[in-house]
Amino acid sequence: MLGRWLVRDKTPVLRCQELVLRAPAKSDFTQWHSVRLASRPFLKPFEPRWTEADLDRNIYLERIKRGAEASAKGTEYTFFIFVTDGGTQRLAGGLTLSNIRRRVAQQVNLGYWMSVNDAGKGIMTRAVATVLPFVFDDLGLHRVHAACLPTNMASRRVLEKNRFHEEGYADNYLQIDGAWRDHVLYGLSRERYETSHGSV
């Protein structure tokens, strides 16, 4: 049993004002289970199909294990987004940097989800802004890709406020809630990011 936790998660801890972004921990299970279950009707139209069985503790622990292995290889980083309040941390959502490609591509896919109780508060916009320096400065990547449903205006605002540029439209791009759905494709290049931050 000890062996499954020998791989150390290399996901950094990122902070911005009241937000803390860090890798999921075993001790987060109860809060994660509660938030995901309460948010299921809210998230259902925007995510791949899942059931309460996917909230099982063993499945959660296996995800942590895979996440640690992926971060150790530098191929994926999973963050939980916490809001600090009076010394406690409340789980507000999650953010993933996945499918990291090196060599001539130097790019990553960005995905995220939000608790129903914390939606519409600007938390995800700040969380994405917090993770971008890690992407461009620490990982040294050149592009970030993201996709969202055309009708998901909240997600589109998160990306656009972070200077992502709408780059295309993909038919039947991802399977969402059991059906193949069209997506709007967004991208953010290092050049656009550095221009918006006054970098040289």
Side-chain angles (χ1 to χ4, degrees), residues 81-92:
I81 303 166
F82 292 92
V83 177
T84 57
D85 184 14
T88 62
Q89 292 187 350
R90 182 183 79 255
L91 179 63

Side-chain angles (χ1 to χ4, degrees), residues 45-104:
F46 309 110
E47 294 189 340
R49 183 171 290 173
W50 56 274
T51 67
E52 289 187 34
D54 294 300
L55 301 180
D56 179 79
R57 180 178 177 83
N58 287 331
I59 292 177
Y60 174 82
L61 294 177
E62 186 60 32
R63 285 176 180 160
I64 290 181
K65 176 177 176 288
R66 290 199 307 267
E69 292 171 347
S71 72
K73 294 176 182 176
T75 58
E76 182 170 312
Y77 297 88
T78 299
F79 296 87
F80 273 178
I81 303 166
F82 292 92
V83 177
T84 57
D85 184 14
T88 62
Q89 292 187 350
R90 182 183 79 255
L91 179 63
L95 185 154
T96 302
L97 300 170
S98 63
N99 300 318
I100 294 176
R101 297 177 60 191
R102 293 293 184 174
R103 302 183 73 175
V104 298

Side-chain angles (χ1 to χ4, degrees), residues 155-168:
S155 186
R156 297 181 72 157
R157 283 193 296 271
V158 166
L159 297 172
E160 290 165 1
K161 286 181 179 179
N162 279 288
R163 296 296 306 277
F164 280 73
H165 180 66
E166 184 177 331
E167 296 183 329

